[in-house]
Amino acid sequence: MPDDWEHFEIIRVIEDDSKKKLCAIRIFKNADSTPRPIIELPEMEQVYFPYEIIKCFDNVKDAHDFAEKQGITNIEY
C-alpha cells in the first residue's frame, strides 16, 4: 500500500449489536467530521482507523467472491 493512501478496502468479521458479521469495510487513514466506528489493525503502524461498512455477506464464499471481483487482498474471515 502506498504511503499517501486515503482509504482502502478490507474484509473482516465485525461485531455489531453483539452480532458478528462478515463485511467488506473501507478503512480511512484520517478521521474527518463524519462519525464512524473504529477498528484496530495491529499489523499497521497506525493501529486504530475509522471505517465504514461497504457490504455484509451471508457466508465466506460470497465474501471471497466479492473480494476477488473487487481486488481486495487484505482478508480475515
Side-chain angles (χ1 to χ4, degrees):
M1 155 181 358
D3 290 333
D4 61 345
W5 65 276
E6 292 297 319
H7 61 82
F8 66 97
E9 286 77 34
I10 64 175
I11 294 183
R12 291 290 189 278
V13 174
I14 301 297
E15 191 164 333
D16 185 30
D17 297 327
S18 300
K19 295 180 185 176
K20 291 185 179 184
K21 302 178 187 177
L22 183 58
C23 301
I25 61 175
R26 179 170 293 127
I27 302 298
F28 295 92
K29 184 175 185 177
N30 299 307
D32 59 16
S33 61
T34 306
R36 292 190 170 100
I38 302 294
I39 189 168
E40 180 180 12
L41 299 175
E43 69 271 17
M44 304 285 291
E45 187 173 314
Q46 174 184 338
V47 179
Y48 295 95
F49 297 89
Y51 72 92
E52 68 183 0
I53 295 174
I54 300 169
K55 182 176 177 82
C56 292
F57 307 98
D58 293 328
N59 55 59
V60 171
K61 182 187 180 326
D62 289 347
H64 177 76
D65 291 347
F66 180 84
E68 194 171 274
K69 190 178 207 180
Q70 299 298 318
I72 298 172
T73 57
N74 191 326
I75 301 167
E76 229 178 74
Y77 298 123

